Amino acid sequence: MDTDIPLEPILELVGVFVGAMSGALAAVRKQFDVFGIMVLAWAAGLGGGILRDVLIGAVPPVGISNWRFIATAVAGATLIYFFHPRLERARRFIVVLDAGALALFSVVGTIKGLEYGTTLTAAVIVGVMTGVGGGVLRDLLSGEVPVVLHHRQLYAIPALLGSTVTAILWWQGAITTVTSVLVVIAVFALRVTALRFQLKAPGPWRGTVR
């Protein structure tokens, strides 16, 4: 199926760059050395894509085989390495970057899954895992509890909604550059709004209080 999305590779490269910056900034805040900064940037920028490619059989994954993606991750890490004294003062900068990567990867991951012939359901799952995978790997390597698992944050839910909408648009033959970018913006806006107003997912059900 022709998805008519010439910007798809660009969207993924932007996602890698933004994700790598979030990983590098997390490494700087943990006082990692230059090698640790590069590794965490690579993990955050490319971890979700590697997981996606393994799941859909697109091997070797672009995260270890495509020099453009690797170079983009290195570029994001280098930017943070030299300019972090200003950037790390903004305590919310890392979560804003992560929101951008989440939005980009959830859409691009879903589309790539569909291009490789997965079912709609599988593509949605792949999109969500692509969206959250880099952030999970970043948090684990930096010694943090993955944000997707704690504080009941709306993290995976925006990715799930974005992936679902993307799959429906594909099914309806309505995937275009414009619609894909609109879904990315919507996922990003939902994530940032949840952060701004501290919206949370429901916690454990405690039953009826008597």
Side-chain angles (χ1 to χ4, degrees):
M1 177 178 179
D2 183 6
T3 58
D4 189 31
I5 305 181
L7 288 183
E8 183 186 342
I10 298 177
L11 287 177
E12 188 161 13
L13 284 171
V14 172
V16 170
F17 185 76
V18 171
M21 288 177 65
S22 76
L25 189 56
V28 167
R29 293 178 66 181
K30 288 286 186 175
Q31 297 296 307
F32 285 14
D33 62 18
V34 62
F35 180 74
I37 292 172
M38 293 295 174
V39 169
L40 209 59
W42 174 84
L46 295 167
I50 290 174
L51 178 60
R52 172 203 65 204
D53 290 350
V54 170
L55 287 173
I56 65 178
V59 292
V62 294
I64 61 174
S65 63
N66 191 316
W67 69 267
R68 292 180 181 85
F69 288 92
I70 297 172
T72 299
V74 171
T78 302
L79 180 66
I80 295 297
Y81 180 79
F82 285 107
F83 294 100
H84 70 83
R86 295 179 180 178
L87 296 178
E88 67 179 337
R89 293 195 188 106
R91 298 182 63 87
R92 296 184 179 180
F93 191 62
I94 187 172
V95 292
V96 173
L97 287 175
D98 192 48
L102 177 76
L104 288 160
F105 283 136
S106 60
V107 172
V108 174
T110 304
I111 292 172
K112 187 166 183 178
L114 290 165
E115 288 177 339
Y116 271 74
T118 65
T119 64
L120 293 179
T121 301
V124 170
I125 294 172
V126 167
V128 173
M129 297 184 75
T130 306
V132 306
V136 169
L137 192 55
R138 176 201 65 217
D139 292 343
L140 290 174
L141 291 176
S142 61
E144 300 286 344
V145 177
V147 66
V148 70
L149 299 177
H150 74 124
H151 295 319
R152 294 164 33 204
Q153 292 195 27
L154 293 184
Y155 189 72
I157 291 177
L160 176 61
L161 293 175
S163 297
T164 301
V165 171
T166 301
I168 292 173
L169 289 172
W170 173 286
W171 179 47
Q172 294 294 323
I175 280 288
T176 64
T177 299
V178 173
T179 56
S180 63
V181 171
L182 287 175
V183 176
V184 168
I185 293 173
V187 174
F188 176 78
L190 177 57
R191 172 64 177 149
V192 172
T193 299
L195 290 168
R196 174 64 178 83
F197 295 101
Q198 298 183 348
L199 303 178
K200 298 182 182 296
W205 184 64
R206 300 183 182 277
T208 303
V209 179
R210 296 182 180 180

